[in-house]
């Protein structure tokens, strides 16, 4: 029996008949674009996380771009992003002709370091940019340090976009991700904690005028009707089929979050004596998009991966190279003191299989394989 890094088949088997009838209903109804399921899903997602408005879109990258467009971020604006993240977080900033400024992360949570953000803001201003927006990422499912980041953003007149592509369903001091930043974005890419069977994304906000603006932007900047164009927009809608699938997946998501937490606790118990296990600050709840160990050295990581491979246990490295060191992003500004934590942890992190259907016996096998 092979061990899956993320087991989408087990989840599908659990709800297959519900998915089949949801898909069949879409085919019967024939409303493939913006069918009734899209609005139904948006209402359910907004209820789930306590946001006033939810607008779905084509993917998590578009969600970030739509957020920047709605917040009117543009030329001469600095947008502060972590370097230790998936490329999409930074990629959308040049799309709107703004400048990404890279910020370091904290070694214990992997999330944005508020002290580094402060230095980067001063540096951006000294270089003639207007600090406009910060995009903290809920990396590996753990909410960012929102209190500190929001305070810094407000002092500097900046807006906040929470990139919760990996963290939707997570909690920060009693609040769900989605109801904290000015706009929160997420992704329904299949491997994310809440995924569909293709590409999908969503934005959340409590601000009605931002919600109206996003609704227009995702359909070519429409005004009163489809052929009334008020602004330059995009074509970025969630397919009705994906919405129908997500309604069924969202129904079991709360249970899956509980299961993911149990899996993480079993890993913590079995691995904390030998390795640095992920830290969850008090008051925060992760949805464990990844379960990530920090090894003592790159060589230690290589030997853990070799041991795991020999035992048939898949592992992965998120992320092997921080963005500010990537060819596409090297020329953009960064914290003037450098990003030593991002550079260091990229050489030492390793992620283990993580999904809601990982049974205890398989976990014991994984723990034995990596600790041996
Ligand atoms: C996956 C991901 C995205 C992009 O989502 P897509 O739906 O693949 O476009 C953005 N940010 C982060 C942190 C991600 O992990």
């Amino acid at each position: 029996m092979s061990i899956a890094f993320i087991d989408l088949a087990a989840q599908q088997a659990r709800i297959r008949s519900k998915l089949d009838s949801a898909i069949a209903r879409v085919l019967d109804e024939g409303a493939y674009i913006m069918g009734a399921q899209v609005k139904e899903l948006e209402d359910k997602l907004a209820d789930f996380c306590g946001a006033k408005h939810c607008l779905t879109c084509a993917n998590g990258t578009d969600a970030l771009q739509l957020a920047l467009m709605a917040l009117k971020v543009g030329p001469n604006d600095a947008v502060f992003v972590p370097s230790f993240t998936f490329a999409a977080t930074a990629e959308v900033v040049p799309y709107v002709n703004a400048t990404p400024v890279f910020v370091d992360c904290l070694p214990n949570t992997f999330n944005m370091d508020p002290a580094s953000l402060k230095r980067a803001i001063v540096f951006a201003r000294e270089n003639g940019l207007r600090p406009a927006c910060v995009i903290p990422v809920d990396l590996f499912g753990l909410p960012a340090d929102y209190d500190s980041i929001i305070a810094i953003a407000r002092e500097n007149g900046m807006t906040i976009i929470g990139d919760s592509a990996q963290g939707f369903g997570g909690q920060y001091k009693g609040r769900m991700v989605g109801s904290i930043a000015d706009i929160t974005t997420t992704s329904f890419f299949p491997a994310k904690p809440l995924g569909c069977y293709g590409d999908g994304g969503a934005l959340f906000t409590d601000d009605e005028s931002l919600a109206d603006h996003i609704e227009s932007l995702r359909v070519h900047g429409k005004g009163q009707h489809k052929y009334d164009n008020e602004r330059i927009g995009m074509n970025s809608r969630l397919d009705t089929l994906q919405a129908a699938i997500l309604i069924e997946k969202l129904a079991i998501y709360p249970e899956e979050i509980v299961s993911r937490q149990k899996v993480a606790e079993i890993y913590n118990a079995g691995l904390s004596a030998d390795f640095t296990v992920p830290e969850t600050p008090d008051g925060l709840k992760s949805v464990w998009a990844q379960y990530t160990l920090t090894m003592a050295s790159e060589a230690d990581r290589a030997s853990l991966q070799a041991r795991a491979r020999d035992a048939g246990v898949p592992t992965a490295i998120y992320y092997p190279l921080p963005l500010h060191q990537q060819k596409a992003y090297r020329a953009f500004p960064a914290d003037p003191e450098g990003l030593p934590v991002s550079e260091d942890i990229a050489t030492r992190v390793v992620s283990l299989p993580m999904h809601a259907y990982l049974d205890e016996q398989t976990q014991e096998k994984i723990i034995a394989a990596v600790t041996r």
Side-chain angles (χ1 to χ4, degrees), residues 158-220:
M158 291 158 56
T159 52
I160 300 120
I161 300 171
D163 179 352
S164 207
Q166 303 180 11
F168 186 68
Q171 291 184 36
Y172 181 84
K173 303 185 183 176
R175 293 160 77 190
M176 301 278 292
V177 156
S179 64
I180 302 167
D182 295 317
I183 300 176
T184 300
T185 64
T186 195
S187 164
F188 304 122
F189 182 83
K192 307 286 179 178
L194 178 63
C196 59
Y197 291 142
D199 279 308
L203 302 92
F204 300 88
T205 183
D206 283 348
D207 183 316
E208 189 170 353
S209 71
L210 280 177
D212 289 346
H213 197 163
I214 294 161
E215 185 161 22
S216 162
L217 287 168
R218 73 174 169 180
V219 187
H220 308 288

Side-chain angles (χ1 to χ4, degrees), residues 77 126 150 160 280 300 321 343 372:
D77 285 348
E126 283 168 2
I150 290 173
I160 300 120
T280 307
D300 269 14
L321 194 63
E343 289 174 17
R372 195 179 303 131

Side-chain angles (χ1 to χ4, degrees), residues 33 216 219-230 237:
I33 302 290
S216 162
V219 187
H220 308 288
K222 74 177 164 98
Q224 292 309 305
H225 58 83
K226 201 170 160 184
Y227 303 109
D228 168 27
N229 304 102
E230 284 194 7
R237 295 168 295 223

